[in-house]
Amino acid sequence: LSIQELKLPSYKGQSPQLHLRRYFADLIAIVSNRFRLCPAARHLAVYLLDLFMDRYDISTQQLHVVALSCLLLASKFEEKEDSVPKLEQLNSLGCMTNMNLVLTKQNLLHMELLLLETFQWNLCLPTAAHFIDYYLSIAVHETDLHDGWPMVCLEKTKLYMAKYADYFLEVSLQDHEFLNYAPSLVATACVASSRIILRLSPTWPPRLHHLTAYSWDFLVPCIERLLIAHDNDVKEANKQKGQQAQSAQQAVFQPPAPSAQQASAQQHVPQYLQAPQSSLQYHHAAPQQPSCQQILSSAHTASYPLQTCPAALQTGAPARGHAQSAAAVSLALPLEVKPCISVSYNRTYQVNGRYSCITPCFER
């Protein structure tokens, strides 16, 4: 994989349809989950789409055919034959019916040949999903500490590590900026970000440095992107949960409509006798998440304190949609955590600390 990684084609990010890239990446994720394809097939399909869009000017309607053809090629390369989607199944997808598109064997074969010729019949293109299993094999060790204490359940920690690493892999699919990093580096940053979220120390042990060949300082820029995206996801999830609670609260406390007799009686009562009825308003103070400065200045100081992050760094990252793909829904486990994830970093990338995040996955 490392040798093949050195031969990957260059990506320039010059597609005229680059603004549609997020939609089609989500489309591939949804369809791959529908057919239960492996992560390697999903990531390879998105990578093929990125490279193809980078070289051709494609209409929006034709991009649907290109995206599904990339997924079909990737599934043929990574999956067993029984798992490869059939033509009838692809035509039954909602996106195809909405666009009035019908795939035929002839145009699908033509598109597959065009893709293969573009990549010179080489689909052995490593992605972060191809590296992650090797790194997860030693991502957690019994000598690691959780929050400064020995781990109670090693298997549970490994389970959460796999869940978070899978989540961060999906995060890396959403933004084409991650193509500026080598796939092995993105996979390594996913493991490092998961260790930060789970508050495992040391954050980057020598065994992972040796296996991945990446030092901590080299990983920090990519880790920043992943954690900022995670922060935005948690904020969006909490916002949606608050809106749902508010709407449910309004439904519960909504006064019943007056009956016909009551309405008739009220019409005959003089207005000066009618007492002004103030509507009852139930104000519930939303739980305020402490800011990073408050956490860092509190009495509970971590043994590995994080630097505070400039405001420009937090506001400069656009919020990502939380539930735009089935992949995000299936990975809801990491997003159920309700901490202050306002992680902070400084521009000198001195991220040598512990992530101030409450992860209720360990019992002491």
Side-chain angles (χ1 to χ4, degrees), residues 300-328:
H300 177 71
T301 55
S303 55
Y304 301 89
L306 283 173
Q307 303 287 341
T308 54
C309 119
L313 183 61
Q314 293 180 344
T315 57
R320 299 189 316 106
H322 174 61
Q324 297 213 0
S325 67

Short mmCIF file of all heavy atoms in Angstrom, two decimals, residues 300-328:
data_model
loop_
_atom_site.label_atom_id
_atom_site.label_comp_id
_atom_site.label_asym_id
_atom_site.label_seq_id
_atom_site.Cartn_x
_atom_site.Cartn_y
_atom_site.Cartn_z
N HIS A 300 -10.34 21.64 37.59
CA HIS A 300 -9.88 20.34 37.08
C HIS A 300 -8.97 20.58 35.89
O HIS A 300 -9.39 20.71 34.77
CB HIS A 300 -11.07 19.49 36.65
CG HIS A 300 -10.66 18.17 36.07
ND1 HIS A 300 -10.12 17.16 36.82
CD2 HIS A 300 -10.71 17.71 34.80
CE1 HIS A 300 -9.86 16.13 36.04
NE2 HIS A 300 -10.21 16.44 34.81
N THR A 301 -7.71 20.66 36.15
CA THR A 301 -6.76 20.90 35.07
C THR A 301 -6.21 19.58 34.59
O THR A 301 -5.77 18.75 35.38
CB THR A 301 -5.60 21.79 35.56
OG1 THR A 301 -5.02 21.17 36.70
CG2 THR A 301 -6.11 23.17 35.93
N ALA A 302 -6.26 19.39 33.28
CA ALA A 302 -5.74 18.15 32.72
C ALA A 302 -4.23 18.13 32.83
O ALA A 302 -3.56 19.15 32.81
CB ALA A 302 -6.18 18.01 31.26
N SER A 303 -3.72 16.91 32.91
CA SER A 303 -2.26 16.80 32.98
C SER A 303 -1.62 17.10 31.64
O SER A 303 -0.43 17.28 31.55
CB SER A 303 -1.88 15.39 33.44
OG SER A 303 -2.47 14.42 32.60
N TYR A 304 -2.44 17.10 30.57
CA TYR A 304 -1.93 17.45 29.25
C TYR A 304 -2.80 18.59 28.71
O TYR A 304 -3.68 18.37 27.89
CB TYR A 304 -2.00 16.25 28.30
CG TYR A 304 -1.21 15.07 28.77
CD1 TYR A 304 -1.81 14.11 29.58
CD2 TYR A 304 0.12 14.91 28.42
CE1 TYR A 304 -1.10 13.01 30.03
CE2 TYR A 304 0.83 13.82 28.86
CZ TYR A 304 0.23 12.87 29.66
OH TYR A 304 0.92 11.79 30.09
N PRO A 305 -2.63 19.81 29.17
CA PRO A 305 -3.55 20.89 28.79
C PRO A 305 -3.45 21.22 27.31
O PRO A 305 -2.40 21.15 26.71
CB PRO A 305 -3.07 22.06 29.65
CG PRO A 305 -1.63 21.76 29.93
CD PRO A 305 -1.52 20.27 30.01
N LEU A 306 -4.60 21.59 26.75
CA LEU A 306 -4.65 22.03 25.36
C LEU A 306 -4.46 23.54 25.28
O LEU A 306 -4.88 24.27 26.17
CB LEU A 306 -6.01 21.69 24.75
CG LEU A 306 -6.22 20.22 24.37
CD1 LEU A 306 -7.67 20.04 23.96
CD2 LEU A 306 -5.32 19.85 23.22
N GLN A 307 -3.86 23.96 24.21
CA GLN A 307 -3.76 25.40 23.96
C GLN A 307 -5.13 25.92 23.51
O GLN A 307 -5.92 25.20 22.96
CB GLN A 307 -2.73 25.66 22.85
CG GLN A 307 -1.34 25.10 23.16
CD GLN A 307 -0.63 25.91 24.21
OE1 GLN A 307 -1.00 27.04 24.43
NE2 GLN A 307 0.39 25.36 24.83
N THR A 308 -5.37 27.20 23.77
CA THR A 308 -6.64 27.77 23.32
C THR A 308 -6.53 28.14 21.86
O THR A 308 -5.47 28.49 21.37
CB THR A 308 -6.98 29.02 24.13
OG1 THR A 308 -5.88 29.92 24.06
CG2 THR A 308 -7.25 28.67 25.57
N CYS A 309 -7.66 28.07 21.18
CA CYS A 309 -7.65 28.28 19.76
C CYS A 309 -8.14 29.66 19.41
O CYS A 309 -9.03 30.16 20.05
CB CYS A 309 -8.49 27.22 19.11
SG CYS A 309 -9.85 27.75 18.22
N PRO A 310 -7.54 30.31 18.44
CA PRO A 310 -8.02 31.63 18.03
C PRO A 310 -9.41 31.53 17.45
O PRO A 310 -9.78 30.54 16.87
CB PRO A 310 -7.00 32.07 16.97
CG PRO A 310 -6.36 30.81 16.51
CD PRO A 310 -6.40 29.86 17.67
N ALA A 311 -10.18 32.61 17.62
CA ALA A 311 -11.57 32.59 17.15
C ALA A 311 -11.64 32.40 15.65
O ALA A 311 -12.57 31.79 15.14
CB ALA A 311 -12.26 33.90 17.55
N ALA A 312 -10.66 32.92 14.94
CA ALA A 312 -10.70 32.80 13.49
C ALA A 312 -10.64 31.36 13.04
O ALA A 312 -11.18 30.99 12.01
CB ALA A 312 -9.52 33.58 12.88
N LEU A 313 -9.97 30.53 13.81
CA LEU A 313 -9.84 29.13 13.42
C LEU A 313 -11.17 28.42 13.55
O LEU A 313 -11.52 27.58 12.73
CB LEU A 313 -8.80 28.44 14.31
CG LEU A 313 -8.50 26.97 13.96
CD1 LEU A 313 -7.96 26.89 12.55
CD2 LEU A 313 -7.52 26.39 14.95
N GLN A 314 -11.95 28.76 14.59
CA GLN A 314 -13.23 28.09 14.78
C GLN A 314 -14.28 28.60 13.80
O GLN A 314 -15.05 27.84 13.26
CB GLN A 314 -13.72 28.29 16.21
CG GLN A 314 -12.83 27.58 17.23
CD GLN A 314 -13.33 27.78 18.63
OE1 GLN A 314 -14.14 28.66 18.87
NE2 GLN A 314 -12.85 26.98 19.56
N THR A 315 -14.32 29.91 13.60
CA THR A 315 -15.34 30.46 12.73
C THR A 315 -15.00 30.27 11.27
O THR A 315 -15.88 30.32 10.42
CB THR A 315 -15.51 31.96 13.00
OG1 THR A 315 -14.24 32.60 12.82
CG2 THR A 315 -15.98 32.21 14.42
N GLY A 316 -13.75 30.02 10.96
CA GLY A 316 -13.38 29.86 9.57
C GLY A 316 -13.80 28.54 8.99
O GLY A 316 -13.90 28.39 7.78
N ALA A 317 -14.06 27.54 9.82
CA ALA A 317 -14.45 26.23 9.31
C ALA A 317 -15.96 26.19 9.14
O ALA A 317 -16.68 26.42 10.08
CB ALA A 317 -14.01 25.14 10.28
N PRO A 318 -16.47 25.90 7.94
CA PRO A 318 -17.93 25.86 7.74
C PRO A 318 -18.53 24.67 8.44
O PRO A 318 -17.94 23.61 8.53
CB PRO A 318 -18.05 25.73 6.21
CG PRO A 318 -16.77 25.11 5.79
CD PRO A 318 -15.71 25.61 6.73
N ALA A 319 -19.73 24.87 8.96
CA ALA A 319 -20.43 23.78 9.65
C ALA A 319 -20.86 22.75 8.62
O ALA A 319 -21.35 23.06 7.56
CB ALA A 319 -21.64 24.35 10.39
N ARG A 320 -20.66 21.50 8.97
CA ARG A 320 -21.05 20.43 8.07
C ARG A 320 -22.42 19.93 8.46
O ARG A 320 -22.78 19.92 9.61
CB ARG A 320 -20.06 19.25 8.16
CG ARG A 320 -18.66 19.61 7.77
CD ARG A 320 -17.79 18.39 7.66
NE ARG A 320 -18.03 17.50 8.79
CZ ARG A 320 -18.70 16.37 8.71
NH1 ARG A 320 -19.22 15.99 7.60
NH2 ARG A 320 -18.87 15.61 9.77
N GLY A 321 -23.18 19.50 7.47
CA GLY A 321 -24.49 18.91 7.74
C GLY A 321 -24.34 17.66 8.55
O GLY A 321 -23.42 16.88 8.34
N HIS A 322 -25.26 17.42 9.48
CA HIS A 322 -25.09 16.30 10.40
C HIS A 322 -25.68 15.01 9.86
O HIS A 322 -25.09 13.96 10.02
CB HIS A 322 -25.77 16.63 11.72
CG HIS A 322 -25.78 15.49 12.68
ND1 HIS A 322 -24.63 14.92 13.15
CD2 HIS A 322 -26.80 14.78 13.21
CE1 HIS A 322 -24.94 13.94 13.96
NE2 HIS A 322 -26.26 13.82 14.00
N ALA A 323 -26.82 15.07 9.19
CA ALA A 323 -27.48 13.84 8.78
C ALA A 323 -27.75 13.86 7.30
O ALA A 323 -28.85 13.65 6.84
CB ALA A 323 -28.78 13.66 9.55
N GLN A 324 -26.74 14.13 6.50
CA GLN A 324 -26.94 14.21 5.08
C GLN A 324 -26.73 12.90 4.39
O GLN A 324 -26.96 12.77 3.22
CB GLN A 324 -25.98 15.23 4.46
CG GLN A 324 -26.22 16.61 4.99
CD GLN A 324 -25.93 17.65 3.94
OE1 GLN A 324 -25.54 17.34 2.84
NE2 GLN A 324 -26.13 18.88 4.28
N SER A 325 -26.23 11.91 5.08
CA SER A 325 -26.02 10.61 4.45
C SER A 325 -26.34 9.52 5.43
O SER A 325 -26.35 9.71 6.63
CB SER A 325 -24.57 10.47 3.97
OG SER A 325 -23.71 10.43 5.07
N ALA A 326 -26.62 8.35 4.85
CA ALA A 326 -26.91 7.21 5.71
C ALA A 326 -25.68 6.83 6.51
O ALA A 326 -25.79 6.27 7.59
CB ALA A 326 -27.37 6.03 4.85
N ALA A 327 -24.51 7.15 5.96
CA ALA A 327 -23.30 6.85 6.72
C ALA A 327 -23.26 7.63 8.01
O ALA A 327 -22.86 7.12 9.06
CB ALA A 327 -22.07 7.18 5.87
N ALA A 328 -23.68 8.91 7.95
CA ALA A 328 -23.69 9.72 9.16
C ALA A 328 -24.70 9.19 10.16
O ALA A 328 -24.49 9.24 11.36
CB ALA A 328 -24.00 11.18 8.81
#
